Amino acid sequence: MIHRQAWCRSRRKFLAQSAASIAAIPLTQVFGQQALGDNALDLDRRLILASHLFEDKSFFDVGHYFRDLIPRSRQVDLWIDYAGNRTSRHFDEIRKRGFAATNAYCKQLGIRLSTATCYGSRGYAGYAEAIRDLGCTLCIQSSGKRTAGSITEMMKRELESYKPALELAEKYDCRIAIENHSGRHLLNDMDSFKAFMDLCDHPRFGIAFAPFHTQGRRESPEEFLRQCVSKVFYIYAWQQNPNGQTLAEKASGESQMPGVGPYDFGPLLQILREHRSSALISPFMHRATSSARSAELVRSAVSCLRKPDP
């Protein structure tokens, strides 16, 4: 029989040696990339693609793109409607086929409808049951427009207006993220970002951060992200076309995509790493010419985002 005191000394020695051995192993082998927040950012598992990129074809003809282009994530951001409340082609097809049949199709391909985008005035509340039935756990919508009063007063009213939707989100286990936007939208400039962060403490309410809509301002996209990173649920890897003059022109052309346009997304990814962010990352552009071309641009964008910082 081993004496207890000797056993304890041996056990302490063993644990110390084990700890030293573990310390010598590269941490990525111990914890994996996601826990480390290393350069890879566990990027492959965070990627998501908007169905909007492939809307020239039926949703039931483009599922393989989500499976093959982002094979470790396979997450879909299903665009439900647009400003003006026009529903998307894909959502119309899904409603016609039925949610159960759509879920079966996704299961067969191994893809997941994890996010829904609702830019119309109905927002999350108008589609909450459909979003639940499709298995989405995040809904993106636009912020409200600016009204009378200070930024703080406007933001208080905005947050108050979301209470019914957030009650539904609680009921259906979903989160809501509002996208920052140019023009008269409330979540627009640095002051509004600060007001949102100061006033919003609901765990299910956050931001879908669009660097596109912060470019050209006094503050850089990185400064905006640092201000709100703890509340960012989703980030668009999306940039302005540098040759565009109007907002519509800046949101046209392939240079909106990472790897084509000049913007370096590396610093934004570094901020996400530093804060151990779990935000979804969406290579994105408006006005894609075809699903096949979108797929080529996504491949290039993902390759660009994976590159280590210089």
Side-chain angles (χ1 to χ4, degrees), residues 276-295:
R276 300 295 193 268
S277 171
S278 59
L280 294 169
I281 301 167
S282 177
F284 184 77
M285 66 178 291
H286 274 302
R287 300 175 179 86
T289 56
S290 70
S291 292
R293 184 56 182 156
S294 288

Side-chain angles (χ1 to χ4, degrees), residues 1-7:
M1 177 179 289
I2 300 176
H3 192 276
R4 178 176 176 81
Q5 188 175 15
W7 181 86

Side-chain angles (χ1 to χ4, degrees), residues 53 211-212 215 236-265 283-289 293-294 297-298 300-301 304:
L53 294 171
F212 176 101
Q215 289 181 302
Y236 298 89
W238 177 35
Q239 62 189 301
Q240 293 182 4
N241 180 339
N243 298 316
Q245 299 300 315
T246 66
L247 185 63
E249 290 171 349
K250 291 175 181 178
S252 300
E254 295 181 353
S255 57
Q256 297 172 79
M257 272 284 193
V260 182
Y263 182 71
D264 178 12
F265 287 87
F284 184 77
M285 66 178 291
H286 274 302
R287 300 175 179 86
T289 56
R293 184 56 182 156
S294 288
L297 291 168
V298 167
S300 175
C304 174

Side-chain angles (χ1 to χ4, degrees), residues 69 72 93 123 131 180 196 214 216 237 240 296:
L69 292 170
R72 290 184 64 196
E93 292 169 346
I131 289 169
N180 59 293
F196 182 92
T214 65
Q240 293 182 4
E296 293 174 357

Side-chain angles (χ1 to χ4, degrees), residues 156-304:
K156 284 181 179 178
R157 289 195 295 268
E158 176 83 351
L159 296 177
E160 184 71 20
S161 73
Y162 273 91
K163 281 188 175 180
L166 288 167
E167 289 174 3
L168 279 175
E170 193 82 41
K171 179 180 178 181
Y172 295 144
D173 194 20
C174 193
R175 297 182 300 164
I176 300 172
I178 56 174
E179 181 195 349
N180 59 293
H181 207 282
S182 307
R184 293 184 56 248
H185 285 80
L186 178 55
L187 193 62
N188 183 345
D189 56 16
M190 186 61 78
D191 287 341
S192 60
F193 271 73
K194 289 178 179 177
F196 182 92
M197 296 303 293
D198 288 343
L199 297 170
C200 180
D201 59 0
H202 199 293
R204 293 185 182 271
F205 199 31
I207 292 173
F209 181 65
F212 176 101
H213 289 296
T214 65
Q215 289 181 302
R217 292 188 174 275
R218 180 176 70 254
E219 303 90 353
S220 67
E222 294 79 26
E223 289 176 279
F224 275 93
L225 181 58
R226 287 192 185 280
Q227 177 65 40
C228 67
V229 63
S230 64
K231 275 291 202 178
V232 170
F233 297 163
Y234 188 109
I235 181 169
Y236 298 89
W238 177 35
Q239 62 189 301
Q240 293 182 4
N241 180 339
N243 298 316
Q245 299 300 315
T246 66
L247 185 63
E249 290 171 349
K250 291 175 181 178
S252 300
E254 295 181 353
S255 57
Q256 297 172 79
M257 272 284 193
V260 182
Y263 182 71
D264 178 12
F265 287 87
L268 292 180
L269 298 182
Q270 178 59 30
I271 293 169
L272 297 180
R273 288 194 294 272
E274 290 170 359
H275 291 266
R276 300 295 193 268
S277 171
S278 59
L280 294 169
I281 301 167
S282 177
F284 184 77
M285 66 178 291
H286 274 302
R287 300 175 179 86
T289 56
S290 70
S291 292
R293 184 56 182 156
S294 288
E296 293 174 357
L297 291 168
V298 167
R299 288 190 191 95
S300 175
V302 170
S303 177
C304 174

